[in-house]
């Protein structure tokens, strides 16, 4: 917190006489978009202009664009959100002679981390808790704390940080309880005990059908979701009105969770807990659902709609989410079918499930699909590969058994590819001709 405070105060000094727009680069997922939404609102309250770009990846090509902008003197201050940068990128940014602020929560390569701790990068202020502690917090949480130091007026943005935290970490860690308390204090959210189903405001059968974790024979099946509710002896309607998960009694929740736990490895503790609700135009939304809506905008390139959804302007983003959801469920069906067929797209080997989707799943969806099926394969390392439109391969990795980023580092160390992430989730970008090399190396590492 001392370091966040120093970085925020340094920023306030820099912008006192700022005439050019603040340049902002951020990732396209829920954490990246909510971080932008927090920062943009903070800058707007300071009457500062800003220029936002959301990126799938901050690679060498994107770095070159930023360096060119700096040479053309288009801005004096750059803020990078939710991208873990290596020594090469940090060296280049430090040499610009511009003010650079980086807010991020990913693991930093050792050499870069050492140079940052020793203060070698004079023009870079990095806010990343991994350099100083093991506290777990997303970039949205860091962006909120950064802006809260700038002005207490920004306490009303705590709820946006929670959307990012839940979207990225799936829980609110102890270090983030201050942010939760701020959101409750400013009356932005309601906290209840309940079942952790994503779409809490949908009719029961639809919420199960579109749940945020995969339930065999229920997810993406209207018939299956209705049958599960019938077995749990839960009425779909109260009078003429369809019931939602918010309407369930404690006894109904227990019966339903028992049946779900029988079908999946998900525990009672993962299914039942605090749920966070937000009132938008008279309708209670689960904050997990808002996070999924924001994420869908990023995954299909509708970043502005995702930012607006953070402010409660949700209509366009929600329509986009419906379309995105259909594509996501289609991807899950494809995975389920190919696993059952034991097809050549699937490698189930020695504690790893490798899904080589190629052109069958969008590159921005491969990581999301892995996260959804992860509870079914909690003892396995899940790896997904999907072709991107620039002749590259997007690789996503999920694991609760080993350090995902360290595994990728060993596999990719001399392939010349970009990689990053943290313990449970990591990713990299390969050239297509490296596909077989990568898979063989990965299998060798897991022997």
């Amino acid at each position: 917190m001392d370091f966040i405070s120093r970085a925020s105060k340094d920023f306030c000094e820099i912008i006192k006489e700022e005439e050019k727009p603040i340049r902002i680069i951020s990732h396209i997922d829920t954490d990246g978009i909510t971080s932008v939404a927090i920062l943009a609102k903070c800058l707007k309250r300071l009457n500062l202009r800003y220029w936002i770009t959301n990126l799938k990846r901050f690679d060498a090509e994107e770095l070159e664009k930023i360096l060119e902008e700096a040479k053309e003197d288009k801005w004096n201050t750059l803020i990078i959100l939710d991208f873990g940068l290596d020594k090469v990128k940090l060296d280049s940014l430090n040499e610009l002679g511009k003010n650079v602020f980086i807010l991020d929560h990913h693991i930093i390569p050792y050499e870069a981390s050492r140079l940052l701790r020793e203060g070698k990068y004079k023009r870079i202020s990095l806010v990343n808790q991994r350099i100083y502690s093991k506290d777990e917090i997303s970039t949205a949480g860091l962006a909120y704390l950064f802006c809260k130091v700038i002005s207490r007026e920004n306490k009303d943005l705590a709820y946006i940080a929670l959307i990012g935290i839940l979207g990225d970490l799936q829980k609110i860690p102890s270090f983030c309880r201050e942010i939760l308390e701020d959101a409750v204090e400013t009356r932005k959210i309601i906290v209840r005990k309940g079942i952790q189903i994503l779409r809490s405001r949908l009719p029961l059968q639809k919420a199960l059908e579109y749940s945020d974790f995969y339930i065999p024979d229920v997810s993406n099946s209207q018939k299956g979701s209705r049958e599960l509710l019938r077995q749990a002896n839960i009425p779909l309607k109260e009078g003429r009105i369809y019931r939602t998960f918010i309407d369930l009694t404690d006894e109904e929740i227990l019966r339903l969770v028992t049946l779900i736990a029988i079908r999946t490895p998900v525990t009672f503790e993962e299914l039942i807990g605090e749920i966070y609700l937000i009132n938008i135009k008279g309708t209670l939304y689960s904050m997990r659902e808002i996070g999924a809506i924001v994420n869908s905008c990023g995954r299909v390139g509708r970043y502005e709609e995702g930012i607006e959804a953070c402010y409660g302007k949700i209509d366009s983003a929600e329509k986009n989410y419906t379309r995105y959801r259909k594509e996501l469920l289609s991807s899950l069906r494809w995975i389920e079918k190919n696993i059952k067929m034991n097809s050549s797209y699937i490698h189930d080997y020695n504690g790893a499930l490798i899904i080589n989707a190629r052109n069958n799943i969008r590159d921005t969806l491969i990581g999301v699909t892995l996260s959804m099926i992860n509870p079914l394969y909690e003892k396995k390392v899940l790896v997904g590969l999907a072709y991107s439109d620039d002749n590259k391969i997007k690789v996503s990795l999920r694991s609760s058994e080993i350090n995902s980023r360290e595994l990728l580092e060993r596999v990719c160390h001399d392939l010349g590819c970009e990689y990053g992430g943290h313990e449970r989730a990591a990713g990299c970008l390969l050239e297509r001709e490296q596909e077989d090399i990568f898979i063989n190396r990965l299998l060798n590492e897991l022997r």
Side-chain angles (χ1 to χ4, degrees):
M1 286 304 303
D2 287 342
F3 192 81
I4 291 171
S5 180
R6 288 200 302 272
S8 298
K9 289 173 182 176
D10 287 345
F11 179 76
C12 289
E13 284 299 313
I14 286 167
I15 62 173
K16 280 182 177 178
E17 298 181 1
E18 183 60 82
E19 295 180 353
K20 293 178 181 176
I22 308 295
R23 187 69 170 104
I24 304 173
I25 303 291
S26 188
H27 192 223
I28 64 170
D29 67 357
T30 308
D31 196 26
I33 292 176
T34 50
S35 300
V36 164
I38 292 166
L39 198 63
K41 183 67 76 173
C42 173
L43 296 179
K44 192 171 184 178
R45 287 170 172 171
L46 294 169
N47 294 316
L48 292 169
R49 293 180 298 143
Y50 49 87
W51 170 15
I52 297 170
T53 302
N54 288 93
L55 299 173
K56 286 198 292 185
R57 50 186 174 268
F58 189 34
D59 56 14
E61 183 179 341
E62 296 297 341
L63 175 63
E64 192 58 40
K65 292 178 184 177
I66 289 295
L67 299 180
E68 191 60 35
E69 290 173 6
K71 288 176 185 175
E72 295 172 5
D73 209 27
K74 292 184 176 180
W75 44 262
N76 292 320
T77 302
L78 169 68
I79 302 176
I80 301 174
L81 302 168
D82 202 30
F83 281 113
L85 305 185
D86 58 20
K87 182 178 180 297
V88 173
K89 293 189 178 72
L90 291 169
D91 286 347
S92 298
L93 293 169
N94 191 58
E95 291 167 7
L96 283 177
K98 303 286 187 179
N99 307 305
V100 180
F101 292 82
I102 301 172
L103 278 65
D104 180 51
H105 69 120
H106 295 94
I107 295 172
I108 301 171
Y110 173 76
E111 183 62 15
S113 178
R114 181 183 66 80
L115 292 171
L116 284 161
R117 284 196 304 270
E118 293 175 359
K120 301 297 185 184
Y121 295 119
K122 302 298 183 183
R123 301 307 296 261
I124 296 175
S125 292
L126 176 74
V127 177
N128 185 323
Q129 83 284 0
R130 291 184 181 275
I131 294 181
Y132 306 99
S133 73
K134 294 183 179 180
D135 290 323
E136 193 171 33
I137 185 171
S138 73
T139 302
L142 294 170
Y144 169 70
L145 295 172
F146 180 86
C147 292
K148 182 181 172 184
V149 173
I150 291 172
S151 172
R152 300 287 291 181
E153 181 185 8
N154 294 318
K155 278 184 70 174
D156 66 348
L157 306 178
Y159 77 98
I160 302 178
L162 293 180
I163 295 169
I165 292 166
L166 289 168
D168 208 61
L169 304 177
Q170 300 301 307
K171 62 179 182 178
I172 298 179
S174 57
F175 185 69
C176 300
R177 299 303 289 189
E178 173 192 337
I179 302 174
L180 174 61
E181 290 166 7
D182 287 349
V184 172
E185 182 185 327
T186 53
R187 299 185 178 181
K188 292 291 185 179
I189 69 167
I190 302 167
V191 182
R192 291 184 184 173
K193 198 83 167 176
I195 187 168
Q196 304 281 3
I197 293 291
L198 177 63
R199 307 199 73 177
S200 57
R201 66 190 177 79
L202 284 182
L204 289 169
Q205 70 274 19
K206 283 293 181 185
L208 273 175
E209 186 180 347
Y210 299 133
S211 65
D212 64 339
F213 51 85
Y214 188 71
I215 308 171
D217 302 320
V218 174
S219 295
N220 197 34
S221 171
Q222 188 177 87
K223 181 180 177 182
S225 63
R226 284 177 174 268
E227 175 60 20
L228 187 68
L229 290 165
R230 186 194 66 77
Q231 291 176 17
N233 192 27
I234 296 175
L236 298 182
K237 292 183 178 180
E238 189 169 330
R240 295 185 177 182
I241 300 174
Y242 280 103
R243 302 174 77 210
T244 71
F245 278 97
I246 297 172
D247 302 320
L248 294 180
T249 65
D250 290 345
E251 292 78 10
E252 289 173 326
I253 288 173
L254 183 59
R255 291 200 300 269
L256 182 59
V257 167
T258 300
L259 288 174
I260 294 173
I262 290 170
R263 292 170 180 252
T264 72
V266 180
T267 65
F268 269 61
E269 291 74 18
E270 291 170 308
L271 285 168
I272 296 179
E274 285 184 344
I275 57 173
Y276 310 98
L277 304 171
I278 183 168
N279 189 322
I280 299 178
K281 298 178 181 177
T283 300
L284 284 178
Y285 286 77
S286 159
M287 295 190 74
R288 288 181 182 273
E289 181 173 4
I290 299 296
I293 290 171
V294 169
N295 191 51
S296 73
C297 294
R299 298 302 173 182
V300 297
R302 307 293 285 269
Y303 316 118
E304 289 184 9
E305 291 178 8
I307 294 170
E308 289 298 310
C310 294
Y311 304 143
K313 299 172 184 177
I314 201 167
D315 293 346
S316 295
E318 198 163 14
K319 289 175 184 175
N320 175 72
Y321 179 57
T322 300
R323 294 190 295 269
Y324 162 84
R325 194 70 194 178
K326 289 178 181 177
E327 184 176 351
L328 182 58
L329 290 172
S330 176
S331 299
L332 288 168
R333 279 198 303 271
W334 183 89
I335 292 174
E336 185 179 39
K337 174 185 172 184
N338 281 275
I339 288 175
K340 286 180 178 178
M341 291 171 54
N342 196 26
S343 78
S344 59
Y345 292 107
I346 308 296
H347 302 262
D348 193 346
Y349 177 83
N350 197 30
L353 182 67
I354 303 174
I355 301 166
N356 192 1
R358 297 186 174 174
N359 284 317
N360 293 285
I361 296 177
R362 192 196 291 252
D363 63 326
T364 54
L365 294 186
I366 189 68
V368 182
T369 56
L370 290 188
S371 295
M372 288 188 71
I373 67 172
N374 194 38
L376 299 177
Y377 301 96
E378 60 179 353
K379 297 299 181 183
K380 287 182 179 288
V381 177
L382 293 183
V383 185
L385 296 88
Y387 289 169
S388 63
D389 54 10
D390 52 2
N391 205 37
K392 294 184 184 292
I393 300 174
K394 173 68 169 68
V395 179
S396 290
L397 194 148
R398 302 288 184 272
S399 176
S400 57
E401 297 295 299
I402 62 174
N403 187 304
S404 300
R405 190 192 181 283
E406 289 180 359
L407 174 60
L408 272 187
E409 187 174 13
R410 293 195 298 273
V411 174
C412 298
H413 72 280
D414 63 349
L415 292 180
C417 63
E418 301 262 347
Y419 61 87
H422 40 77
E423 290 88 346
R424 299 178 313 281
C428 68
L429 195 67
L430 303 170
E431 300 295 335
R432 288 202 189 175
E433 56 265 27
Q434 296 174 323
E435 181 178 323
D436 291 337
I437 297 172
F438 175 84
I439 291 174
N440 289 331
R441 283 190 176 189
L442 181 67
L443 293 176
N444 285 333
E445 282 289 336
L446 294 168
R447 280 178 181 166

